[in-house]
């Protein structure tokens, strides 16, 4: 069980450490990457030696993020000794991949906003009302003895905008918008950032054509699923945006994407309007938020789909949201 700490206690912990490893979660998204890079630049301004690590490939979509080239991906057997290990935007330790096993640090801090957080780190700064970890990091940077730069602002804007669907999702609060507004004061351009993030490769659109054909309804039309079969799966093709299509169908409460990343490993993404999908994801050792969650099921796609749909249909029957 973690000791839950405040902004000021987090600040003290960071100030005491001279060498720090910041970890982004596997399946890295805009929030974990932007939050990590902004915090890295801030801590470097304070004279600290900071390394950003991720145990996964980073989608080329994020190539424009300042500092993205500095990520280190450790190999099995690597050993790093630092004063503090900070895990960012990850609700469970497995989301850090092999990194914790490669790092020798006397303290571990987790900065996160997932309601499903498993309290795995020694210290936890959790704000489950924040739309993104980026919002939490911005509040921290304002308390540190640093100057916030345009590159930090770009990273934090990407973190916030991507996790709240460009201010469309139900996690968007007045504070989310205030945070974004503050970041605009540093001269960033939301249109340039949105273009960089939303531009699709032809390969993505070609795969989307196939995937849209797999849309299927369950639970009297309240569930819509899409499938990326192992045959169609290509690691280099970004499919993160595909879930938007079933999500925006009239009458659909829960949209689910099944991606066969291996013949017996299925990655599941869920988006909902009323059902708490973080509970469903947790039951499959995943996690997330009420309206956006995910998990990995170690079964071929058809079996994984059957098991998940069973849980979802049961969830919809018993939910009275
Ligand atoms: P995604 O569908 O991958 O965009 O993820 C939606 C939300 O669920 C994000 O907040 C993720 O951090 C979380 N999530 C996705 N997959 C997992 C997983 N395997 N374990 C824990 N959380 C997850
Ligand atoms: Mn994330
Ligand atoms: Mn997040």
């Amino acid at each position: 069980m973690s000791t839950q700490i405040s902004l000021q206690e987090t600040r003290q912990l960071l100030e005491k450490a001279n060498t720090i490893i910041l970890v982004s979660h596997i399946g890295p998204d805009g929030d974990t990457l932007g939050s990590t890079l902004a915090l890295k630049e801030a801590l470097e301004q304070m004279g600290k030696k900071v390394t950003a690590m991720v145990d996964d490939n980073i989608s080329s979509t994020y190539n424009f993020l300042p500092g993205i080239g500095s990520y280190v991906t450790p190999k099995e057997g690597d050993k790093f000794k630092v004063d503090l290990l900070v895990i960012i935007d990850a609700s469970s330790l497995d989301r850090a991949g092999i990194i914790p096993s490669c790092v020798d640090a006397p303290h571990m801090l987790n900065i996160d906003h997932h309601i499903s957080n498993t309290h795995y780190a020694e210290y936890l700064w959790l704000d489950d009302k924040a739309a993104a970890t980026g919002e939490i990091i911005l509040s921290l940077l304002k308390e540190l003895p640093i100057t916030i730069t345009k590159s930090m602002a770009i990273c934090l804007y990407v973190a916030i905008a991507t996790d709240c669907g460009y201010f469309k999702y139900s996690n968007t609060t007045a504070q989310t918008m205030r945070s974004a507004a503050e970041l605009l004061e540093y001269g960033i351009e939301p249109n340039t950032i949105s273009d960089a993030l939303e531009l699709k490769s032809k390969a993505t659109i070609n795969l989307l054509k196939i995937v849209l054909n797999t849309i299927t309804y369950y639970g009297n039309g309240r569930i819509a699923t899409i499938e990326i079969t192992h045959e169609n799966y290509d690691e280099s093709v970004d499919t993160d945006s595909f879930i938007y299509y079933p999500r925006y169908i009239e009458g659909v409460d829960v949209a689910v994407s099944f991606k066969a990343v291996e013949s017996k490993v299925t990655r599941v993404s869920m988006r909902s309007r009323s059902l708490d999908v973080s509970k469903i994801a947790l039951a499959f050792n995943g996690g997330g938020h009420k309206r956006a969650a995910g998990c990995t099921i170690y079964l071929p796609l058809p079996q994984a789909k059957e098991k998940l749909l069973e849980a979802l249909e049961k969830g919809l029957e018993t939910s009275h949201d």
Side-chain angles (χ1 to χ4, degrees):
M1 210 56 186
S2 305
T3 304
Q4 277 196 245
I5 61 171
S6 63
L7 188 165
Q8 289 309 334
E9 288 164 315
T10 302
R11 182 188 142 179
Q12 285 164 13
L13 210 55
L14 291 167
E15 279 180 339
K16 268 197 290 188
N18 289 317
T19 53
I20 302 170
I21 287 178
L22 302 179
V23 182
S24 297
H25 64 71
I26 55 174
D29 56 18
D31 189 22
T32 197
L33 295 170
S35 296
T36 300
L37 292 172
L39 182 58
K40 177 174 186 275
E41 190 186 331
L43 294 170
E44 282 172 346
Q45 247 191 55
M46 291 164 68
K48 308 205 178 279
K49 189 170 177 304
V50 189
T51 310
M53 286 193 184
V54 64
D55 181 19
D56 208 346
N57 296 322
I58 300 173
S59 161
S60 58
T61 309
Y62 299 108
N63 281 353
F64 73 99
L65 283 182
I68 196 83
S70 66
Y71 267 96
V72 171
T73 298
K75 299 180 301 300
E76 207 79 58
D78 280 352
K79 278 283 167 229
F80 305 91
K81 201 169 156 36
V82 285
D83 300 332
L84 181 65
L85 176 63
V86 187
I87 302 187
I88 296 174
D89 190 46
S91 59
S92 53
L93 192 59
D94 58 304
R95 303 278 286 157
I98 66 161
I99 296 171
S101 70
C102 299
V103 176
D104 177 4
H107 301 292
M108 189 199 290
L109 163 68
N110 175 209
I111 304 177
D112 190 31
H113 70 127
H114 290 90
I115 195 165
S116 65
N117 191 288
T118 59
H119 296 235
Y120 58 89
E122 179 188 6
Y123 296 106
L124 170 64
W125 181 19
L126 178 71
D127 178 0
D128 61 17
K129 301 285 179 291
T133 300
E135 244 185 273
I136 307 176
I137 299 292
L138 176 60
S139 68
L140 172 67
L141 297 202
K142 290 197 287 184
E143 291 295 316
L144 294 178
I146 56 143
T147 307
I148 296 180
T149 62
K150 184 174 176 182
S151 52
M152 290 176 201
I154 291 172
C155 290
L156 290 181
Y157 185 86
V158 167
I160 295 170
T162 52
D163 255 27
C164 67
Y166 300 90
F167 314 98
K168 287 195 299 277
Y169 300 160
S170 61
N171 59 355
T172 307
T173 64
Q175 186 53 41
T176 313
M177 290 207 174
R178 273 194 289 270
S179 303
E182 273 179 46
L183 294 170
L184 292 199
E185 307 282 0
Y186 295 92
I188 65 167
E189 295 165 347
N191 58 317
T192 310
I193 291 177
S194 148
D195 280 356
L197 288 167
E198 295 189 286
L199 202 70
K200 311 263 182 299
S201 69
K202 291 201 173 69
T204 290
I205 297 301
N206 284 338
L207 183 55
L208 177 63
K209 289 199 270 187
I210 297 167
V211 171
L212 286 179
N213 269 319
T214 70
I215 291 183
T216 312
Y217 301 100
Y218 299 90
N220 293 322
R222 293 178 69 193
I223 303 170
T225 63
I226 55 170
E227 293 174 32
I228 302 161
T229 61
H230 192 50
E231 202 180 33
N232 291 326
Y233 175 68
D234 179 344
E235 195 190 22
S236 66
V237 178
D238 187 354
T239 58
D240 286 356
S241 58
F242 291 6
I243 189 95
Y244 297 121
Y245 296 90
R247 187 180 186 275
Y248 285 106
I249 300 174
E250 262 183 341
V252 170
D253 181 10
V254 187
V256 195
S257 147
F258 296 94
K259 181 153 76 171
V261 294
E262 306 271 352
S263 60
K264 289 185 182 159
V265 182
T266 307
R267 200 163 286 163
V268 179
S269 284
M270 291 180 276
R271 300 291 182 270
S272 92
R273 297 190 181 279
S274 69
L275 188 72
D276 182 351
V277 284
S278 75
K279 286 192 186 145
I280 310 277
L282 261 177
F284 289 89
N285 295 319
H289 311 277
K290 280 187 181 168
R291 310 270 179 268
C295 56
T296 300
I297 303 179
Y298 293 87
L299 287 173
L301 193 155
Q303 283 98 306
K305 181 173 174 181
E306 197 183 315
K307 280 213 154 46
L308 193 91
L309 279 174
E310 202 179 296
L312 271 178
E313 287 182 332
K314 209 172 279 167
L316 280 174
E317 271 167 31
T318 53
S319 86
H320 302 283
D321 282 7

